[in-house]
Amino acid sequence: MVKEYCGVMGAYDFDGLDVALDLYHGLYTLQHRGQESAGIVTNDYVALHPIKGPGLVNEVFTKDNLSTLKGKIGVGQVQYGSDDPNEAVLPILSRYCKGTMTLAMNGFITNYDELRSELEQRGAIFQSTSHAEMIMNMIAVARITSHSAEAALAQAVAKLKGAFSIILMSPRKLIAVRDPYGFRPLSLGKRGNRYFFASESVVFDVIKAHHVCDVRPGEIIKIDDTGITHIEEGLGKRPALCVFEHVYFARPDSVLDGNSVAQARINIGKELFKAHPAEADVVIGVPDSGLYFSLGYSYESGIPYGFGLVKNSYVGRTFIRSTDEIRTEAVSLKLNPLREVLDGKDVVIVDDSIVRGTTSANLIRLIKQGGARKVHMRIASPPFLWKCNYGTDIPDRSGLIAARMTVDQICEHIGADSLGFLPLESFERVGLNPKLHCMACFTGKYPDEK
Amino acid sequence: MVKEYCGVMGAYDFDGLDVALDLYHGLYTLQHRGQESAGIVTNDYVALHPIKGPGLVNEVFTKDNLSTLKGKIGVGQVQYGSDDPNEAVLPILSRYCKGTMTLAMNGFITNYDELRSELEQRGAIFQSTSHAEMIMNMIAVARITSHSAEAALAQAVAKLKGAFSIILMSPRKLIAVRDPYGFRPLSLGKRGNRYFFASESVVFDVIKAHHVCDVRPGEIIKIDDTGITHIEEGLGKRPALCVFEHVYFARPDSVLDGNSVAQARINIGKELFKAHPAEADVVIGVPDSGLYFSLGYSYESGIPYGFGLVKNSYVGRTFIRSTDEIRTEAVSLKLNPLREVLDGKDVVIVDDSIVRGTTSANLIRLIKQGGARKVHMRIASPPFLWKCNYGTDIPDRSGLIAARMTVDQICEHIGADSLGFLPLESFERVGLNPKLHCMACFTGKYPDEK
Amino acid sequence: MVKEYCGVMGAYDFDGLDVALDLYHGLYTLQHRGQESAGIVTNDYVALHPIKGPGLVNEVFTKDNLSTLKGKIGVGQVQYGSDDPNEAVLPILSRYCKGTMTLAMNGFITNYDELRSELEQRGAIFQSTSHAEMIMNMIAVARITSHSAEAALAQAVAKLKGAFSIILMSPRKLIAVRDPYGFRPLSLGKRGNRYFFASESVVFDVIKAHHVCDVRPGEIIKIDDTGITHIEEGLGKRPALCVFEHVYFARPDSVLDGNSVAQARINIGKELFKAHPAEADVVIGVPDSGLYFSLGYSYESGIPYGFGLVKNSYVGRTFIRSTDEIRTEAVSLKLNPLREVLDGKDVVIVDDSIVRGTTSANLIRLIKQGGARKVHMRIASPPFLWKCNYGTDIPDRSGLIAARMTVDQICEHIGADSLGFLPLESFERVGLNPKLHCMACFTGKYPDEK
Amino acid sequence: MVKEYCGVMGAYDFDGLDVALDLYHGLYTLQHRGQESAGIVTNDYVALHPIKGPGLVNEVFTKDNLSTLKGKIGVGQVQYGSDDPNEAVLPILSRYCKGTMTLAMNGFITNYDELRSELEQRGAIFQSTSHAEMIMNMIAVARITSHSAEAALAQAVAKLKGAFSIILMSPRKLIAVRDPYGFRPLSLGKRGNRYFFASESVVFDVIKAHHVCDVRPGEIIKIDDTGITHIEEGLGKRPALCVFEHVYFARPDSVLDGNSVAQARINIGKELFKAHPAEADVVIGVPDSGLYFSLGYSYESGIPYGFGLVKNSYVGRTFIRSTDEIRTEAVSLKLNPLREVLDGKDVVIVDDSIVRGTTSANLIRLIKQGGARKVHMRIASPPFLWKCNYGTDIPDRSGLIAARMTVDQICEHIGADSLGFLPLESFERVGLNPKLHCMACFTGKYPDEK
């Protein structure tokens, strides 16, 4: 399982109305991007109003506490990683020489240690290991010599390496920036006189807004009394949206930099069949991420699509088990094979990726327990060969099975009857241009390294 | 949305080992049958150990509290309805003349008022409106003149009308009974020297047990030191399993009285096409219950299956919204139409049932917002015309749209381009024999009335 | 430490106004009589409104939940003993043949087992070991043949043995009864058109009501639309208020059956000096219960009163300590000797009682650590020689040091330089007539035994 | 009511054993100095272990979470003021160029705004309005040019104005400093090879340590592997311990800079009689702070000491009342007059201070309701005429009744029959040398102003 870090949102209402409810609905919609904590901070020009804490959006916010979030400007965040006591719960608030500053951020700064050390040498202190806290320090330092918050932000961004989508709320402005390569998605939406930034476009669907544009790599967009200002500081490099957003992270109903995620997934399934056909009685997917791929595989192959694994909808983050229980029980609490579909069949199962191989081995064992005669596994991405530098959980090579084994060895290791990975070049065929996307975990070519 | 009341489970270990973990995993698997409270009571022959409370199984039980549930016998329950402060959280415990008695129960007693009044006339008091509490009182009274707990239970059952699957734990026995018509499912499973009762057979899959048999309508099964005893008191009438278990309540991976739920649903989809064909570009389902029907419809029609509605996996029981928000927002927080699939298409959508029509109207509006040209609605059950007497939320005729309108009127009311309900006789064609099932909500023929 | 069981309260407003706030303030004032759970149930003629739970009054009730407690009749309770999962949280609610019945109760039924067994033989079930639940069952049975709730209550009371003050709320009445010996206190108060029952008169002070009368032993008082009715069923025996209410349980600012608790305590201190004079430099008390005795001892002896032990005001029910810590640390977290007062002094310390002797030994060690040269211990009650049958924690003879040792042996055991207990006959001299009080724990003469 | 800000504690074990339990017991003992939040941070040389949160010491710490606090060095804090979301919960942790830094602090920095602004001009950001956070920033900046943490601390302290006792934990050191005037108390204690800093000496009593010395005004004491080092940087000015620590803040069993608090309070009571004698039948105190004064008044006057007001021991921070209730009810929930002591008597009541006069007026009304014929009020401090600059809640002159009225006018305003304040010169007579104490709230002579 690969986790990404965070979903962010911002809102600005030109009529001065409270924006908290839209932020709440938006975070609700972005919940899949971070389930460990949630927060909203609004600004009514008198004070900042923060509600933040561990838990799902539904747990952190109540009708009562939402009603205290007054203000026409606001930012929100859902987050992974806040279990670590050294990690701050975002959005993070601070006061500096020009008043308040609140930051929501999705991403990972690769030169964090170096930049932090630089700040420490100037006398800065850090109350967490949050990259957002460091960025606020950089902005504060930059602000000494800058004429505006957006200029200070630009100055900070120029020094940052890595992947980041940032939404900054200053006393009277809402400012968004996407890193120079645009690794993480970020879009601008609009409903009436109210504007929104959000990690994924599906937020706009849900709050009945429409998609205005994507924030371009390296672009800064400022919203204040004077209107919407697109600031081009020349920070942008070649676009490199994380291709795994399409494979796994994003909701299928989002459109990322112009590409429909659902469409991409279905087409990936079709490409998978072209590259690795199989003779089988049924194609099944791993709920929920694998369903679109398997439907595409079914479309292309003509092999009937079926539900072979039933998911327990109430599975939370953990369940209790004794160590002497059968190993696979955890899997079967979550997924149960459907004998009526599998028994005596040759089955194609499509999953998004293989990291260590353990999950795949469990899945295949489960499907065979359900009576399948043969299991042909298809993977909707190329083999992971390189670690991600940009904030996902894809581990370094020692943890990647494909870095140590051939496809045939992996196939045997996980107990499949055949195994096929998506060819790298298929991405281009489904519209995910390698020149516009980061595929470093498959290729080792990190966009920000020469 | 139609809610049923509760899932139950029992366990007995002939080797004297603790059964709590299996009960926990089983309740976890039955979570869809009741999400408002959960409880387990175990019995180690010294004392009863209860853990009960409001919330999901995952919230009520922790590693720490599960470890206190010692005992080789135990019962468990997931439940709706416990939000009512007058409702007891089950399983319910009591002490009576023969020691302790613990009751888990799924069902609804139609002559509750009459039986309770009878008990009150003898001096009984009631601390809740729980039907289970009343049944315990009946057993206690019956026990005065009965030679055993199972005989007292039989005596009580003989007076009860309605639908019920009961698991009773006495000081040294585990006793299950299913009502004379078998309205609610109940099965016996086994793993090694450990036996289980459970509302649905999927529990046995998950805990690696196998299905031994279904408890027959009116049958009592007792497990104690002497082994498994099937007691036939002649209580059984003609079998009448609730057909809506197959349409909606049960998990697709359960097998109820010999019929696979998933298979029944897929076949219902096929029958729907036969009865109400449509010309369309795509068939979509309403997650999660409608997916199997729509797949069946697709199989039979050859119209491609597609995902037209994306569900937010994190939707809890409630979300916050202001009254002045667009009405349909609540729907779109939960379900979002997928434009890539719907735009410009003629769409078949299959849902399980129509109660008041509001949900269907919202769904159709949503799909049209997603760009669908035409929406053909298909319903995987006949029109609801009669209220349920046996514990589901199907309201009386005044709340049922089909009792007031023709199919054409409903079609217009909900904004569909065509509408088709499953013909009643189709149930038989998918293996759901009307002589073995209750279909009173469609036919008005209540099995226990003449 | 000796614990008693519970404080109770009831309220009835003839003008139909809500009584919950008075009940809250009253329970707040009775908090010393029970700190493990609290509850209020009000009755607005439409429904019962219960708020109950574990914790202090301040923890159970909030501004929000109090505002939901509508109704002109209500009962409340603070309680010990509810940590036991078999114990019900009072007030306890039930429905029976005549509608609802809610019971608050302070006391202990000595023939509980016998009465319960009788009920069980008739088919009753019990969901707790609460004596109040059994009494409700008795009332329900009695009601079959009685013409009114108060008559049924009288019929039940006639069979009950032990100590009890009960407040019963029926659909339209508030009825109080005190056991035939009046072991536990119960009074009637009034403010305007609102009447109150309460365990201690101090409640009336706090809610600005005045004391109308004490409920007499065996008396039933009914309040309903027709007014206040004193019902004399001839149940009363000779009065036998627990003398330990004066020594320890009650608040000093209560007046019990005409005697001021504070005055009784000061006079006990005076009697203690007369019986056991000491030559000393200072008299100190054990906060908080011992302070009045020591002041009385000081008044009578002329030895200056001083604060020799400082109490930590924030001491809760438990504090955490490691087992290898110095034993007396728990004592010193709670009480710290004041060297300025104790150093080089001969000290008289007055405490309320000695049960096992452990606390006394710790206290004396503490005072000597504070520099005291000599410690003369005086006890404001005679030696405990017999267990209490009426619901206090005074253990049986095997747990009572005075049942096994002479006064000299106890003195040596606890490390005092001299030790004196209050002579039994002193109670009479301070106005606590042995003919009107229960002194069984000192004399073995249980009022309800011949 | 006058609140102070915080109690602090530190511990260092030369044998490497865990110190958390002592910190817990110490904070428990310092609870009166801060009831809104509590925290402990320990350091095991590998990581910092923080447990912090809102609530009483007993609520924040559990057996389980205390056991995770590994480490031979630790700091702890109890605190007021953390209800403000802008306020940090102390101790506050940060990382800076030399590793970690944890700060506990009791006090108030009078030039906070100026110093913070200076830091902001350098680019610092602030996540709270906590003075401790600012001090950490100052230390971090100073550390750039300092050779040690203690030198950086000294450099920061040299710029700080106001009252503060700080305990700083660096990666391997525990360093304490008291402000140059020693406004707040701070002492060093020892048990075996374990050393402690604590706000009040009573902590050492409770944890069985002994008092080594007070930290002198402006002194820095460092504890590390090399032992205990007293660092004299020449920061100390004339000592000026807050005299109100003796009157109100400190526990009576503490010894502050050599003076016993209990003794000072009793002597103040004696001085009060000398200055303002009264003819009366009884002297009573306001629990808990006024009891020592009234005992001293009784000693000197020969008028008997009595308990005239009974305090509800369970009074928490708030209780619920309706606005239309009698105003004084809140007072009587907390304090109840004891008629037996007051009725028909001339009463002397001694309280610690008068701020606005409202509390005194309520008290006197209460005592008269208890039957007192005359009420002579005596105040154990001179009239408050000036605001406190050093962190207590004593308001500015507009909120001080004595700044607007003569003693006679106040007497009439509060309804007393006579009123007497402690003469300023009496402090010296009870050993509280005006040259060694801050009495600015009475005199307007602020020690750190010329």
Side-chain angles (χ1 to χ4, degrees), chain B residues 161-199:
Chain B
K161 291 183 180 161
F164 50 89
S165 289
I166 292 172
I167 306 179
L168 171 69
M169 179 168 66
S170 79
R172 298 190 160 260
K173 300 171 182 173
L174 186 70
I175 310 169
V177 66
R178 198 169 161 197
D179 73 64
Y181 296 90
F183 287 108
R184 298 286 152 233
L186 189 64
S187 300
L188 177 68
K190 177 181 197 298
R191 189 184 71 228
N193 274 327
R194 184 173 294 194
Y195 285 78
F196 305 98
F197 294 111
S199 286

Side-chain angles (χ1 to χ4, degrees), chain D residues 291-313:
Chain D
L291 301 181
Y292 289 82
F293 307 125
S294 55
L295 190 59
Y297 199 98
S298 163
Y299 284 162
E300 186 69 19
S301 63
I303 304 169
Y305 175 81
F307 301 119
L309 296 167
V310 179
K311 186 181 169 189
N312 183 332
S313 315

Side-chain angles (χ1 to χ4, degrees), chain B residues 308-329:
Chain B
L309 295 167
V310 179
K311 185 179 170 191
N312 183 332
S313 315
Y314 304 94
V315 165
R317 270 162 277 174
T318 50
F319 27 67
I320 301 156
R321 58 174 187 266
S322 69
T323 46
D324 58 345
E325 291 287 314
I326 302 116
R327 292 263 168 64
T328 50
E329 186 160 336

Side-chain angles (χ1 to χ4, degrees), chain A residues 252-279:
Chain A
D253 39 357
S254 279
V255 175
L256 305 178
D257 291 349
N259 292 299
S260 153
V261 174
Q263 201 52 59
R265 288 184 187 169
I266 287 170
N267 289 338
I268 283 173
K270 293 179 178 175
E271 290 298 317
L272 255 179
F273 175 74
K274 290 183 202 158
H276 302 287
E279 295 202 353

